[in-house]
Amino acid sequence: MSNSNSLSQKGKAASENPMRIDLEVYFDAMDNIYHTKDNPTGTFPMNVAENQLCWEMLKEKMQGISGKEEIPDWVTSYGDSSGVLSFREAIASYYSDFLMNHTVDPETLALSVGATSVIEMTAFLLADPGDTAVIPAPSYPVYTGDIGVFPSIKRYDLQTHSDIGELKDGIPLQISQLEKAKKEIEASGSRFKMLILTSPDNPTGGIYSKEQQEEVADWCIANHIHLIVNEIYGLSLIDTEDPEVSGDYGKHLKFYSFGNLMNKKKSAYLHHWYSFSKDLGISGFRIGVVHTYNEDFIQAYKNVGLSHGISNHTQWLLQEVLNDKAFMNTYIDSYQKALNQSYKIVRSTLQKLALRYSPSHGSLFVWMDLSEFLQKKTQQGENDLWLKVYEETKILLTPSNGFGHKQKGLYRLVISSFKHDDLRVAMERFSKFVLQQRAEK
Ligand SMILES: Cc1ncc(COP(=O)(O)O)c(C=O)c1O
C-alpha cells in the first residue's frame, strides 16, 4: 500500500527523491553486463565509482586471514562507537606510511559506515540546519543528500571556471570567489559554515596545490568556516610525468595531503575525510574515516556515533590486512600501475577522437566534453545524449546533472570498473559511436 502522506515531511521527501538519477538505468545495465565470451554484446556500466582493478589480490589476502587466524572475542561486543582503537591505530599507521608525511595519532580519527556516513555526521556536528556548505563545481552529486537529508545543510555550487579547458593545472579556486560566495550566502539569510574540497576531485580529477590549500585554510580559519578536504581518492594518483600523458599538463602539480597541513596548523576548523571504498575497491565494506584535531568534535562523534558504527568483524579483518605492510606496499604499487594503464587506454581514445577532457591528476574518472553531440544545450538535451550513448553503445556514463556546474554536455566516465581488455572493447564501441555521430552531422 502506498501512502507517502503517512510519512514525516522528511520521510515523504525521501520517498520521492532517488539517491541519484542514474540508478534505474544502472540496475538495467547490471543485469546484462559485458563478458568477452558469455555476453560479448553486453553492457558497460561505467557510471558508478567502483574500482575493480585489484580485488583478486585483496580477496586472496582476506581469505588467508579468515582461514588462518582466530577471530578475536572482542568482535562480538559493542566497542568504541567511533571505531575500535586497534583499527584506528592500523589506519593511523596506513596514513603515515602512504598518505601523509608524519605520524598520525589514532585519537584524531573517528570511523563510521563509509564516507557517506562520515560526511553526514560531520555536517550534523559542525553546522546547523539552514547553514550552507560551499563546494567547488562540478562535484559529487550525492554530497547534496549527505549534507541535506539528515543535517539539513544547503549546498552552494561554486563556479570556479566556465570551461573544462581551464582545469589542466588543477582547480582554479580563488579567495575572491570564496569572498563573493560568502556575501551571497549571507545576503540570502544563511551562513557559510563549511567548505568542502575533494582532492583528487570527483569528477574532474583535479587537485589543489599545497600553496592553494594553505591560502584557503588560512582564510577559512580567519572566517571561522570549517574546511574539510575529502581525500577518498588520495592513493588513486595519475603519474603526470609519464611521457605518454605529460604533454597534457601545464604545471606538474604533486598531490599534497591536507593531513600534512592540518598537522602543522592544529586548528579546530580543519578536517579530513577518507574511506577505503575507492583506493582499496571495497565500497561494500563501508569504512569511512574523519581525521581532525578538534577534540570536541571527536567526543561528540563518540557520544552519538553508534547508529553509524562499523561491524567489529569488518574492522578486525581490515586491520589485519593493513597491518601487513609488505602486502600493502605491493597492493598499492600494483593498483597504481593498473589505474594508470586504465587512464592511458581511455585518454588515448579521447585524444584520437579529438574530444576534450580534463587531464587527470587522480581519481577513478575522466571528465569529458561531448557537447558537440547535444541536440539542445539544456539538461534535457544532456539526458537525451546520455541515453543515446547507452542505447547505441551499451556504455553507461554519468550525466552532469547534479554535479552543479553550468557548462552543458560534460560526462563522467569511470575508468576502473572494467579490466584493461574489457575497457579496450568499451573504448572501441565508444569510438565507433563518436565517428558515426560526426559522419551523420
Ligand atoms: C567524493 C566522494 N565522497 C564520498 C563517496 C562515498 O564513499 P563511501 O562508499 O565510502 O560512502 C564517494 C563515492 O563515490 C565519492 O566520490
Side-chain angles (χ1 to χ4, degrees):
M1 195 174 97
S2 174
N3 180 1
S4 64
N5 288 329
S6 65
L7 306 180
S8 66
Q9 277 180 30
K10 285 206 169 194
K12 188 167 185 293
S15 77
E16 288 161 2
N17 294 301
M19 184 175 72
R20 44 190 286 176
I21 59 144
D22 52 354
L23 274 190
E24 208 177 309
V25 194
Y26 174 66
F27 291 133
D28 176 69
M30 289 301 280
D31 281 344
N32 178 27
I33 204 155
Y34 172 85
H35 184 273
T36 176
K37 282 202 197 90
D38 301 341
N39 193 15
T41 58
T43 61
F44 286 98
M46 298 170 102
N47 61 325
V48 173
E50 290 201 318
N51 160 19
Q52 307 284 356
L53 297 176
C54 292
W55 166 234
E56 288 78 10
M57 276 179 85
L58 262 183
K59 183 172 168 179
E60 197 186 322
K61 177 76 194 152
M62 287 179 180
Q63 279 183 336
I65 293 166
S66 301
K68 277 187 235 124
E69 291 183 31
E70 191 182 334
I71 301 174
D73 293 333
W74 59 257
V75 304
T76 60
S77 302
Y78 283 116
D80 186 326
S81 54
S82 69
V84 292
L85 180 59
S86 56
F87 186 39
R88 283 185 283 119
E89 281 168 348
I91 297 173
S93 173
Y94 167 87
Y95 278 11
S96 312
D97 290 343
F98 299 110
L99 201 58
M100 301 170 191
N101 63 13
H102 57 278
T103 305
V104 176
D105 177 357
E107 297 303 344
T108 63
L109 306 180
L111 320 179
S112 50
V113 282
T116 304
S117 155
V118 160
I119 294 165
E120 184 185 287
M121 283 281 286
T122 306
F124 171 74
L125 296 175
L126 296 182
D128 289 307
D131 284 344
T132 299
V134 171
I135 307 178
S139 192
Y140 179 52
V142 185
Y143 277 141
T144 312
D146 295 348
I147 62 170
V149 173
F150 290 98
S152 301
I153 311 300
K154 292 186 242 179
R155 169 175 179 156
Y156 177 104
D157 292 301
L158 183 68
Q159 310 294 311
T160 62
H161 59 282
S162 53
D163 181 78
I164 188 174
E166 293 165 58
L167 291 170
K168 76 178 167 40
D169 293 325
I171 299 160
L173 173 66
Q174 288 165 25
I175 300 295
S176 56
Q177 297 164 345
L178 295 172
E179 302 269 13
K180 187 166 166 266
K182 188 165 180 289
K183 279 202 191 108
E184 260 178 52
I185 291 164
E186 285 169 358
S188 76
S190 178
R191 292 188 302 179
F192 181 168
K193 208 63 212 286
M194 295 163 66
L195 173 63
I196 300 175
L197 309 183
T198 311
S199 181
D201 188 29
N202 173 1
T204 65
I207 54 175
Y208 295 88
S209 70
K210 182 179 173 201
E211 296 69 32
Q212 206 178 7
Q213 291 184 37
E214 189 132 27
E215 200 189 3
V216 172
D218 288 342
W219 184 85
C220 284
I221 295 169
N223 286 283
H224 294 182
I225 290 169
H226 290 281
L227 168 60
I228 308 114
V229 181
N230 186 353
E231 291 185 358
I232 190 167
Y233 301 101
L235 298 179
S236 300
L237 299 176
I238 298 300
D239 176 9
T240 65
E241 308 276 349
D242 183 319
E244 195 179 323
V245 303
S246 61
D248 283 0
Y249 306 88
K251 295 182 207 149
H252 288 268
L253 290 182
K254 284 269 162 272
F255 174 77
Y256 176 79
S257 174
F258 185 63
N260 299 326
L261 199 64
M262 284 171 53
N263 185 46
K264 274 207 307 198
K265 304 218 177 255
K266 300 264 173 18
S267 163
Y269 286 97
L270 307 182
H271 321 273
H272 177 274
W273 290 330
Y274 188 70
S275 143
F276 289 90
S277 295
K278 312 299 171 177
D279 293 338
L280 266 64
I282 49 171
S283 49
F285 278 60
R286 313 304 303 132
I287 305 169
V289 191
V290 55
H291 169 42
T292 179
Y293 290 95
N294 186 327
E295 288 169 11
D296 296 316
F297 176 91
I298 294 282
Q299 190 54 53
Y301 215 98
K302 286 186 194 295
N303 292 345
V304 301
L306 188 59
S307 58
H308 295 244
I310 307 165
S311 142
N312 282 353
H313 182 263
T314 302
Q315 297 192 53
W316 167 72
L317 182 60
L318 199 69
Q319 140 193 328
E320 296 306 292
V321 174
L322 296 184
N323 284 340
D324 184 342
K325 304 275 177 185
F327 170 79
M328 286 310 299
N329 269 307
T330 314
Y331 172 86
I332 289 166
D333 190 46
S334 310
Y335 166 54
Q336 291 183 336
K337 284 191 179 121
L339 181 76
N340 275 269
Q341 184 57 25
S342 302
Y343 179 65
K344 287 195 271 188
I345 293 169
V346 174
R347 177 203 167 270
S348 71
T349 307
L350 301 185
Q351 279 277 327
K352 276 188 209 132
L353 294 168
L355 283 170
R356 298 194 320 149
Y357 55 91
S358 160
S360 176
H361 292 80
S363 79
L364 309 181
F365 316 109
V366 168
W367 181 237
M368 61 184 171
D369 182 0
L370 300 182
S371 58
E372 65 178 282
F373 306 117
L374 288 178
Q375 297 285 355
K376 284 180 257 142
K377 284 208 165 176
T378 59
Q379 196 170 302
Q380 187 55 47
E382 279 187 333
N383 278 4
D384 292 347
L385 177 61
W386 170 62
L387 287 174
K388 185 172 179 176
V389 174
Y390 179 57
E391 273 157 25
E392 297 195 13
T393 66
K394 304 252 175 62
I395 295 170
L396 190 59
L397 304 171
T398 321
S400 64
N401 187 356
F403 282 90
H405 197 263
K406 292 200 174 123
Q407 196 179 2
K408 291 279 172 261
L410 304 181
Y411 295 81
R412 190 188 76 175
L413 182 147
V414 176
I415 62 174
S416 51
S417 40
F418 287 88
K419 292 277 163 52
H420 298 144
D421 286 345
D422 295 354
L423 184 60
R424 284 190 189 93
V425 176
M427 289 300 96
E428 274 165 31
R429 281 197 202 167
F430 184 69
S431 297
K432 270 192 203 147
F433 171 82
V434 168
L435 296 174
Q436 201 176 329
Q437 292 302 303
R438 285 191 182 143
E440 281 170 18
K441 263 207 211 171

